[in-house]
């Protein structure tokens, strides 16, 4: 009786959210390799035509002035992504959103990226990011192109349902008898079997093997959808870590005045580029001119968000107020910083990326094979009813 209810629940939840899961799985496959694919697809934007070994980048304030010439009235640069590697462009982002808007095209009022050669100031490309392929794929994955307010809700509820489907699927998979024959049918796909049986095996066996990692991908996805959920589990894991956060030592209080006539941000960035010349990338969220503080995030590895340093500067004093590091966090905070890397498979480089890609592909296939299983049963029941009617006649 209980298993019949679980089967009913598994079936109808799957039919209800199947299309959403297919979309999330396929877009997740594509975005898993975004960092690699962008360099392959857009080399002229991201890679400079020569390696500027002995050159220093121009002051950021000067580069911002060059990038600002590409802006329309009312637009402003909201973020800068820069790379210490001497053959990479710097990217100036312009983004304005309407968080309450319905639909992707209304959600982003403006979204463009301006690519500059930081050593010469040459303009490389102005990208309309609203129509850029990988950006559209990302927004489809995050909110189905419905806008943040509405799409995130649909994706979040569907992901929660998918977690229930995974758990109920594992209950249904569990063999009644742990004998060799029944285990073999549950653990191996018989590629020589007929189509109906093969489809059932693809759903049943692949669902079993992908269960744990699919669950991890779904839960880490929920972290992006529900910030309160992230806060809750960070607090939970932090409660088991009694260690004190140590202050990072060896940081100067005052920043050297490299550009006496420039902005304080120029001095801070010059200091960081010298100190972290082997870092993967740095990100600066531009603050208003009247703000007294600004911060710079440094990814030690370009494609990983969980290995970082974060510097907070005081403009007025030209000093470092605070430095945080991924190596200097409590257990819960550390897990929280790794969420993106776990979700995208970045956690251990290429092997885990390939694994995340394959599991995402399996997740996308499960609603399809599950629908075929259900459809075959419906057809089978219809045939049985027709045969009974014919016999009765």
């Amino acid at each position: 009786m209980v298993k019949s209810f679980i089967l009913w629940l598994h079936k109808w939840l799957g039919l209800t959210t199947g299309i959403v899961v297919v979309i999330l799985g396929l877009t997740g496959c594509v975005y898993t390799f975004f960092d690699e694919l962008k360099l392959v697809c857009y080399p002229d934007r991201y890679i400079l035509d020569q390696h500027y070994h002995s050159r220093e980048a121009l002051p950021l304030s000067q580069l911002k002035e060059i990038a600002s010439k590409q802006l329309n009235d009312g637009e402003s640069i909201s973020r800068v992504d820069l790379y210490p590697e001497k053959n990479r462009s710097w990217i100036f982002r312009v983004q304005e959103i309407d968080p309450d808007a319905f639909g992707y095209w209304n959600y982003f009022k403006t979204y463009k990226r301006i690519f500059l050669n930081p050593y010469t100031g040459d303009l490389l490309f102005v990208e309309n990011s609203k129509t850029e392929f990988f950006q559209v794929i990302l927004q489809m994955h995050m909110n189905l192109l419905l806008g943040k307010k509405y799409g995130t809700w649909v994706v979040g509820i569907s992901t929660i349902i998918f977690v229930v489907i995974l758990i109920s699927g594992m209950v249904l998979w569990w063999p009644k008898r742990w004998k060799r024959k029944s285990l073999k049918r549950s653990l191996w796909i018989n590629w020589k079997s007929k189509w109906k049986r093969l489809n059932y095996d693809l759903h049943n066996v692949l669902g079993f093997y992908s269960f744990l990692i699919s669950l991890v991908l779904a839960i880490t996805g929920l972290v992006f959808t529900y910030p309160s959920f992230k806060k809750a589990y960070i607090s939970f894991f932090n409660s088991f870590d009694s260690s004190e956060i140590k202050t990072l030592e060896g940081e100067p209080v005052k920043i050297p005045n490299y550009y006496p006539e420039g902005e304080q941000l120029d001095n801070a960035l010059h200091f960081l580029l010298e100190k972290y010349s082997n870092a993967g990338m740095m990100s600066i969220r531009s603050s208003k001119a009247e703000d007294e503080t600004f911060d710079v995030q440094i990814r030690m590895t370009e494609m990983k968000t969980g290995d970082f340093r974060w510097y907070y500067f005081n403009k007025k004093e030209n000093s470092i107020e605070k430095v945080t590091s991924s190596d200097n966090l409590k257990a819960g905070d550390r897990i929280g910083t790794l969420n993106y890397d776990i979700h995208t498979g970045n956690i251990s480089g290429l092997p885990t990326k390939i694994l995340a890609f394959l599991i995402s592909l399996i997740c996308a296939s499960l609603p399809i094979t599950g629908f075929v299983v259900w459809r075959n049963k419906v057809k089978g029941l219809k045939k049985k009813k027709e045969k009974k009617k014919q016999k009765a006649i």
Side-chain angles (χ1 to χ4, degrees):
M1 187 69 180
V2 174
K3 207 160 188 177
S4 297
F5 171 74
I6 293 174
L7 177 60
W8 176 87
L9 186 70
H10 183 82
K11 175 180 67 178
W12 288 108
L13 289 180
L15 291 171
T16 303
T17 62
I19 293 175
V20 176
V21 174
V22 171
I23 293 171
L24 296 182
L26 292 178
T27 52
C29 286
V30 176
Y31 204 78
T32 297
F33 289 101
F34 163 69
D35 289 314
E36 292 84 0
L37 288 172
K38 70 181 182 182
L39 300 181
V40 174
C41 296
Y42 312 124
D44 295 340
R45 303 180 198 180
Y46 289 93
I47 308 296
L48 303 180
D49 55 5
Q50 61 178 297
H51 208 294
Y52 292 84
H53 294 282
S54 58
R55 294 279 293 275
E56 286 188 359
L58 298 174
L60 185 63
S61 57
Q62 185 177 336
L63 292 169
K64 284 183 73 174
E65 283 185 18
I66 296 170
S68 296
K69 294 177 181 178
Q70 305 300 320
L71 305 183
N72 298 321
D73 292 339
E75 293 180 349
S76 61
I77 294 168
S78 56
R79 172 173 166 174
V80 183
D81 293 332
L82 53 101
Y83 302 85
E85 184 67 26
K86 297 287 189 176
N87 68 334
R88 294 292 299 273
S89 62
W90 289 10
I91 306 163
F92 295 76
R93 295 194 191 190
V94 181
Q95 180 176 302
E96 184 182 357
I97 62 171
D98 180 358
D100 296 324
F102 176 78
Y104 171 68
W105 306 109
N106 298 319
Y107 174 71
F108 282 105
K109 292 182 177 180
T110 303
Y111 193 12
K112 63 175 70 170
R113 290 185 177 97
I114 301 166
F115 295 79
L116 294 183
N117 182 327
Y119 306 100
T120 64
D122 292 338
L123 176 67
L124 300 176
F125 193 79
V126 179
E127 173 190 277
N128 180 4
S129 301
K130 284 179 68 171
T131 59
E132 193 273 319
F133 175 75
F134 293 108
Q135 177 60 31
V136 174
I137 289 293
L138 175 61
Q139 292 301 315
M140 190 179 292
H141 185 76
M142 293 175 66
N143 52 52
L144 304 176
L145 301 183
L146 299 176
K148 186 175 182 179
K149 183 176 181 179
Y150 303 96
T152 303
W153 180 83
V154 176
V155 169
I157 296 299
S158 298
T159 304
I160 292 172
I161 292 173
F162 182 60
V163 170
V164 176
I165 292 171
L166 287 172
I167 295 170
S168 61
M170 179 55 67
V171 173
L172 295 172
W173 172 90
W174 204 263
K176 291 181 180 179
R177 298 177 182 177
W178 287 78
K179 292 185 177 181
R180 184 178 178 182
K181 188 175 181 180
S182 60
L183 275 175
K184 186 177 180 181
R185 295 190 72 175
S186 298
L187 295 172
W188 299 101
I189 298 173
N190 184 2
W191 297 101
K192 295 180 180 179
S193 59
K194 293 182 179 180
W195 161 242
K196 286 185 180 180
R197 180 65 203 186
L198 178 60
N199 179 77
Y200 179 82
D201 284 350
L202 288 171
H203 186 77
N204 196 43
V205 178
L206 292 181
F208 166 73
Y209 284 117
S210 64
F211 171 73
L212 284 177
I213 300 176
S214 298
L215 202 59
V216 169
L217 293 179
I219 291 172
T220 51
L222 287 174
V223 170
F224 293 112
T225 308
Y226 301 107
S228 56
F229 174 61
K230 181 179 182 179
K231 288 180 182 178
Y233 87 74
I234 285 176
S235 298
F236 174 76
F237 285 108
N238 275 344
S239 65
F240 295 97
D241 188 348
S242 59
S243 62
E244 294 184 3
I245 299 176
K246 298 178 181 178
T247 304
L248 294 176
E249 299 179 356
E251 299 293 348
V253 176
K254 286 281 185 180
I255 301 299
N257 205 13
Y258 302 103
Y259 304 103
E261 303 300 322
E263 295 182 5
Q264 298 295 0
L265 183 56
D266 295 335
N267 294 319
L269 190 58
H270 190 286
F271 163 75
L272 292 177
L273 286 171
E274 281 193 341
K275 185 176 178 66
Y276 295 101
S277 59
N278 294 321
M281 70 172 290
M282 300 181 185
S283 290
I284 304 168
R285 272 74 171 180
S286 296
S287 57
K288 295 178 182 178
E290 63 269 19
D291 290 347
E292 292 186 0
T293 62
F294 61 91
D295 57 87
V296 181
Q297 182 192 26
I298 304 166
R299 289 191 195 177
M300 304 310 293
T301 304
E302 179 185 342
M303 299 179 188
K304 288 186 179 181
T305 61
D307 184 11
F308 68 88
R309 305 289 183 276
W310 210 309
Y311 280 75
Y312 298 83
F313 295 92
N314 186 305
K315 281 184 180 179
K316 208 170 186 180
E317 304 294 333
N318 195 31
S319 62
I320 298 173
E321 284 195 338
K322 184 175 69 171
V323 182
T324 60
S325 168
S326 54
D327 299 327
N328 197 30
L329 298 173
K330 286 194 171 186
D333 294 305
R334 178 64 178 146
I335 294 171
T337 62
L338 290 171
N339 191 75
Y340 176 83
D341 294 333
I342 295 171
H343 188 69
T344 59
N346 271 324
I347 191 70
S348 293
L350 187 59
T352 48
K353 278 199 166 195
I354 293 172
L355 183 61
F357 173 86
L358 293 174
I359 298 301
S360 295
L361 192 61
I362 291 172
C363 288
S365 75
L366 291 177
I368 298 171
T369 53
F371 175 80
V372 174
V373 169
W374 170 75
R375 189 62 183 162
N376 287 335
K377 285 185 177 180
V378 170
K379 286 183 178 179
L381 289 172
K382 282 185 179 180
K383 286 182 180 179
K384 284 183 179 180
K385 286 182 180 179
E386 288 176 359
K387 285 181 180 180
K388 283 183 179 180
K389 285 181 180 180
Q390 288 176 357
K391 284 181 180 180
I393 294 171

